Amino acid sequence: MTTPQKIFYWLPRLLGVYFALFLSLFALDVFTGPFEPRMLVGFLIHLVPSFVLLGAVLLAWRYELVGAVVFLGSAIFYIVNVGLDRHWSWYVGIALPSVIVGTLFFVSWLQKR
């Protein structure tokens, strides 16, 4: 593997994991006020998107096209659910990293072909 191929192999995988960890930070918002056991259920529910993206990274380790579809699809899903009437920073913080990772997985897939 040449150096550019190695970069396009590892970069989407690492960024995908980092993006899932970044999204996991938002799950911590359930821990406000005194601790209650039901907060753990909310915490796990808030972690579902991160688990889905981590699963996509694991699948994309072998099948890059899966990673491209899931990450690009998650960006579209986020934009559709949030709507187009928000400040631009809403999209840059969540949708843009997902588009970048999805595009990198697509480039990695193209290089394999």
Side-chain angles (χ1 to χ4, degrees), residues 7-23:
I7 290 172
F8 281 110
Y9 179 83
W10 284 105
L11 195 58
R13 288 156 177 81
L14 292 174
L15 290 178
V17 170
Y18 290 144
F19 181 60
L21 291 173
F22 171 69
L23 286 182

Side-chain angles (χ1 to χ4, degrees), residues 11-12 14 17 19 21 30 55-56 70 76 78 84 87 94 104 112:
L11 195 58
L14 292 174
V17 170
F19 181 60
L21 291 173
V30 299
V70 170
I76 293 168
Y78 177 77
L84 296 174
H87 191 261
I94 304 295
L104 288 170
K112 263 185 147 179

Side-chain angles (χ1 to χ4, degrees), residues 14-86:
L14 292 174
L15 290 178
V17 170
Y18 290 144
F19 181 60
L21 291 173
F22 171 69
L23 286 182
S24 298
L25 292 175
F26 294 107
L28 295 173
D29 73 338
V30 299
F31 297 112
T32 57
F35 177 77
E36 297 177 24
R38 66 186 175 106
M39 289 178 173
L40 293 176
V41 174
F43 180 66
L44 291 174
I45 289 171
H46 280 76
L47 285 177
V48 168
S50 298
F51 291 144
V52 169
L53 291 179
L54 283 176
V57 170
L58 288 175
L59 279 173
W61 216 280
R62 174 138 175 120
Y63 309 104
E64 287 89 356
L65 194 56
V66 171
V69 169
V70 170
F71 278 92
L72 292 172
S74 70
I76 293 168
F77 180 77
Y78 177 77
I79 291 170
V80 167
N81 278 330
V82 168
L84 296 174
D85 57 341
R86 307 287 186 200

Side-chain angles (χ1 to χ4, degrees), residues 19 22 78-79 87-98 100:
F19 181 60
F22 171 69
Y78 177 77
I79 291 170
H87 191 261
W88 62 269
S89 63
W90 280 55
Y91 310 109
V92 170
I94 304 295
L96 183 62
S98 190
I100 291 170

